[in-house]
């Protein structure tokens, strides 16, 4: 990363001092990885958004009850892994943007619109990224069908049926692929496999993968928060996970 | 342009041949039309009071205040144009905060008065600004000197007073203030005196109803700015309003004076 | 022109751990009274606890100059609050959120306030903020080395019926452990108690008692 002022490097200080000044300024990073795993999964008439509640800094756990999930509307729930402070900020501004939308349009923002808004918000910080890995889940207001969106930190996103992000991603995503996406590839057509997964089965699967992630990933654990979005609203459930 | 100023009153940058700056004098006129404002320095604190005229009956009590906290130990009462006064209060608050950030101490009221006077003065020097249409009464508690009262006028002058009054009822009130014994006057009795003075300066037939707004920085309030307890204000006011026409003569002269004669300079200025 | 660094990216004069625990009748905060200059125990009688308004106490570790700046900032908002006279008062939770925004804003400008804070307030409020602006509420908080040494101890002994006096003793025990093991800790400590109703009691600095160094002797003999 070069200094915005090109004259910065050749100055009255000798190059050694120069280097020290520059390196001194660079020892501090504005980022910290607070870990955690988030997951979103969509069925025919529901969506699940789930995350663990651990906040890690290195090997220590400052909080065992730090929520990663925010309910944005009655039809959309967002979960973010990554840096705690950044996601608190992201959740705060998204909620306020949604509030303004509500006042201006006299209705809730649709799931697709929220997905685009989130992408735009992340991309607006393309060169100082918000260190958050988001999964957005919800149901389509018109059809009632569940959808989820997976993001990277700078706003690329994809509309899918199931996605996992965060520190447990490498443990969880393959299982999800095998259980859901993989099966649909060989056995049954896409939509039908996901469509036949009931909400209860999906919750079971979610609990299983989080328990599995907590077994091996030290940044995931303490408790699982699970939001189930259906036509009748959003339901939040909580399950204990390993605390070690 | 054949008015009073005869062309010399268009900006503050023009003196009249008699050496007057008309724009500033007009600003003082704005102050004189205000509801009566009184400040008294007592032995145990300083009291600020405003006859807050209520022309509009739908106004809620306590709205459109004219007394403001500037810091924990200083309050300001405004006579004249309210918004001009609020601007001065805003300036006073930032001066107080700035002083604290530099010296880690509360700003002495004397210094605040000096700075606000300089600030007001600047608005009498340029054609593109108008003077403040307000006189502000600064009541404060000085760490070394105790309670004190300063007044900053639209022309940018600032004085230290024992007691001060301005606004519609000023003539009668100033006469009454002259009769007080400041060596013994306590805040509580000052509150009662003020209620009487304001009541007697009014012409019940003509004047709009008023709300009596009072604040003090006193020993009772732990040397901090505080509103005078509502019960005390109400009882003081009731006491004078229920008095039979006892002070009738004084009352009628007061209402005759009201808002007519310009200042005859009967302020009680402190010799230092 | 050369730009000299104007941002704190490395603290100079620093305070160590801050501890806090939620009790059944209030909240307790504790820390020592040292501000170190590197490994030098430079300022031994400074206070890292601050009460900006009735019913709120802030305690902080990290760069001491930044901490004083934060104390001034909080003093100013409460002074503005006083002048407002609108009948509202800033709750401890609101202050906690505000400070989190301040710290997050500074880290986002790459000019962090190098502190970790604990905020305690009436209504049994206890929150924690770090230099990145990560903020949360918790029944037990510990910053710095305290997060490693003291937090497990507090969590282990914490229970919902913990009284404030027990809380004080618990935190004293943690400070003792820190004094044994944290090279940047001091024997002189301060404790703040904030009751449910907002009564605040900040102790004068006092020395930890019952220190036990026999173990060190034993180690020498081995």
């Amino acid at each position: 990363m070069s200094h915005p002022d090109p004259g910065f490097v050749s100055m009255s200080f000798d190059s050694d001092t120069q280097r020290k000044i520059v390196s001194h300024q660079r020892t501090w990073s504005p980022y910290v990885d607070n870990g955690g795993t988030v997951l979103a999964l969509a069925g025919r008439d529901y969506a699940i958004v789930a995350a663990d509640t651990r906040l890690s800094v290195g090997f220590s756990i400052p909080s065992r009850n730090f929520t990663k999930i925010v309910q944005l509307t009655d039809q959309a729930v967002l979960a973010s892994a990554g840096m705690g402070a950044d996601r608190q900020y992201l959740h705060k501004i998204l909620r306020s943007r949604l509030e303004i939308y509500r006042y201006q349009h006299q209705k809730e923002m649709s799931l697709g619109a929220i997905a685009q808004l989130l992408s735009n918000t992340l991309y607006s910080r393309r060169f100082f990224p918000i260190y958050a890995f988001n999964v957005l889940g919800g149901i389509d207001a018109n059809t009632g069908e569940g959808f989820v969106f997976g993001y990277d930190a700078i706003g690329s996103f994809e509309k899918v049926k199931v996605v996992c992000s965060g520190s447990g991603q490498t443990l969880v995503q393959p299982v999800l692929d095998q259980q859901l996406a993989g099966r649909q590839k060989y056995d049954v057509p896409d939509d039908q496999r996901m469509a036949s997964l009931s909400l209860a089965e999906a919750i079971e699967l979610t609990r299983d993968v989080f328990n599995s992630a907590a077994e091996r990933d030290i940044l995931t654990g303490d408790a699982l928060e699970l939001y189930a979005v259906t036509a009748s609203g959003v339901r939040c459930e909580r399950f204990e996970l390993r605390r070690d | 342009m054949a008015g009073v100023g005869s062309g010399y009153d268009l900006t503050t940058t023009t003196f009249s041949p008699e050496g007057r700056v008309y724009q500033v004098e007009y600003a003082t006129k704005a102050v004189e039309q205000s509801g009566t404002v009184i400040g008294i320095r007592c032995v145990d604190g300083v009291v600020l009071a405003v006859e807050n005229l209520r022309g509009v009956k739908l106004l809620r009590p306590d709205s459109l205040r004219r007394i403001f906290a500037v810091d924990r130990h200083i309050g300001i009462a405004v006579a004249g144009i309210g918004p001009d006064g609020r601007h001065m209060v805003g300036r006073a608050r930032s001066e107080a905060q700035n002083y604290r950030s530099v010296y880690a101490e509360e700003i002495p009221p004397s210094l605040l008065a000096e700075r606000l006077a300089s600030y007001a003065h600047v608005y009498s020097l340029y054609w593109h600004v108008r003077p403040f249409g307000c006189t502000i009464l600064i009541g404060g508690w000085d760490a070394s000197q105790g309670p004190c009262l300063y007044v900053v006028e639209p022309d940018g002058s600032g004085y230290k007073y024992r007691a001060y009054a301005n606004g519609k009822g000023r003539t009668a009130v100033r006469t009454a203030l002259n009769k007080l014994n400041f060596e013994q006057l306590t805040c509580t009795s000052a509150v009662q005196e003020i209620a009487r003075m304001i009541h007697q300066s009014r012409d019940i037939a003509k004047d709009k109803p008023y709300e009596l707004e009072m604040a003090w920085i006193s020993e009772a309030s732990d040397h901090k700015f505080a509103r005078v307890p509502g019960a005390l204000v109400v009882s003081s006011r009731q006491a004078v309003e229920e008095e039979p026409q006892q002070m009738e003569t004084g009352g009628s002269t007061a209402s005759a004076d009201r808002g007519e004669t310009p200042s005859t300079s009967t302020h009680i200025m402190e010799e230092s | 022109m050369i730009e000299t660094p104007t941002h704190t990216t490395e603290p100079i004069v620093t305070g160590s751990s801050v501890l806090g625990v939620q009790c059944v009748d209030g909240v307790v905060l504790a820390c020592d009274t040292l501000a170190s200059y590197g490994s030098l125990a430079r300022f031994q009688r400074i206070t890292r606890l601050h009460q900006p308004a009735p019913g709120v106490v802030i305690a902080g570790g990290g760069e001491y100059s930044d901490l004083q700046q934060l104390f001034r900032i909080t003093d100013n908002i409460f002074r503005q609050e006083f002048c407002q006279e609108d009948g509202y008062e800033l709750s401890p939770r609101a202050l906690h959120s505000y400070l989190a925004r301040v710290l997050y804003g500074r880290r986002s400008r790459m000019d962090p306030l190098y502190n970790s804070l604990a905020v305690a307030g009436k209504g049994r409020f206890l929150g924690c903020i770090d230099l990145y602006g990560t903020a949360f509420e918790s029944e037990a908080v510990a910053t710095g080395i305290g997060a490693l040494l003291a937090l497990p101890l507090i969590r282990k002994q914490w229970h919902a019926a913990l009284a404030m006096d027990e809380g004080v003793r618990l935190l004293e025990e943690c400070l003792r452990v820190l004094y044994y093991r944290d090279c940047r800790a001091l024997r002189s400590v301060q404790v703040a108690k904030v009751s449910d109703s907002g009564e605040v009691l900040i102790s004068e600095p006092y020395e930890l008692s019952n220190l036990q160094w026999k173990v060190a002797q034993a180690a020498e003999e081995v």
Side-chain angles (χ1 to χ4, degrees), chain A residues 42-44 145 159-162 177 179-197:
Chain A
R44 197 175 57 188
E145 192 181 350
K159 189 178 183 182
V160 285
K161 279 291 180 184
V162 56
D177 289 344
Q179 289 283 307
L180 305 170
R183 189 91 75 85
Q184 75 205 356
K185 216 175 230 171
Y186 308 113
D187 274 78
V188 213
D190 261 32
D191 43 338
Q192 281 181 33
R193 170 56 201 155
M194 287 306 286
S196 64
L197 189 74

Side-chain angles (χ1 to χ4, degrees), chain A residues 1 3 5 7-8 11-13 18 21 24-32 34 55 57 59-66 83-90 92 125 128-130 243, chain C residues 1-10 12 96-98 100-101 104 106-112 114 128 130-142 144 147-148 151 155:
Chain A
M1 193 171 87
H3 195 273
D5 176 6
F8 182 70
M11 250 356 87
S12 52
F13 282 96
Q18 195 69 232
I21 291 169
H24 175 78
Q25 281 184 315
R26 283 182 190 171
T27 47
W28 186 78
S29 160
Y31 292 117
V32 61
N34 297 120
L55 178 84
V57 177
F59 288 137
S60 60
I61 304 169
S63 178
R64 294 189 190 279
N65 190 23
F66 188 101
M83 178 175 162
D86 264 348
R87 58 189 192 231
Q88 278 179 322
Y89 162 78
L90 181 66
K92 243 183 169 112
R125 288 269 300 269
F128 183 23
I130 295 171
R243 288 162 68 87
Chain C
M1 287 293 290
I2 182 87
E3 290 175 42
T4 47
T6 52
H7 299 172
T8 311
T9 53
E10 197 174 280
I12 311 291
H96 177 249
S97 166
Y98 174 83
R101 281 8 279 161
Y104 181 77
R106 290 290 297 263
R107 89 95 216 184
S108 297
R109 279 190 281 149
M110 292 293 279
D111 183 13
Y114 228 100
C128 188
D130 70 9
L131 74 162
Y132 300 101
T134 322
F136 54 87
E137 292 170 34
S138 180
E139 64 281 339
V141 304
L148 302 165
L151 197 52
R155 281 182 183 157

Side-chain angles (χ1 to χ4, degrees), chain B residues 65 67-74 93 97 100-101 224-227, chain C residues 52-54 72 74-86:
Chain B
R65 286 181 165 172
I67 302 180
F68 306 94
V70 167
D71 201 331
R72 287 191 218 273
H73 68 303
I74 295 179
R93 284 175 180 160
Q97 183 154 324
R100 190 184 293 265
S101 70
K224 288 186 172 64
F225 174 92
R227 301 273 153 189
Chain C
R72 280 194 291 270
T74 47
D75 279 352
N76 281 341
I77 21 177
F78 280 105
R79 194 168 306 109
Q80 280 159 21
E81 193 77 5
F82 174 86
C83 290
Q84 212 80 41
E85 291 188 279
D86 55 6

Side-chain angles (χ1 to χ4, degrees), chain B residues 136-197:
Chain B
I136 54 168
L137 284 66
I138 305 165
W141 194 283
D142 188 298
S144 52
Q145 293 168 34
C148 50
L149 174 69
Y150 294 88
V151 175
V152 173
E153 309 271 5
D155 61 359
S157 59
Y159 294 107
K160 188 180 189 184
Y161 288 98
R162 266 289 164 70
Y164 179 92
N166 211 332
K168 283 185 174 154
R170 65 190 176 285
T171 322
V173 173
R174 283 172 186 172
T175 313
L177 284 175
N178 270 311
K179 293 175 186 157
L180 295 176
N181 177 3
F182 295 105
E183 304 304 322
Q184 280 172 6
L185 189 69
T186 63
C187 286
T188 314
S189 42
V191 166
Q192 290 156 348
E193 294 292 345
I194 288 169
R196 169 173 286 110
M197 288 174 202

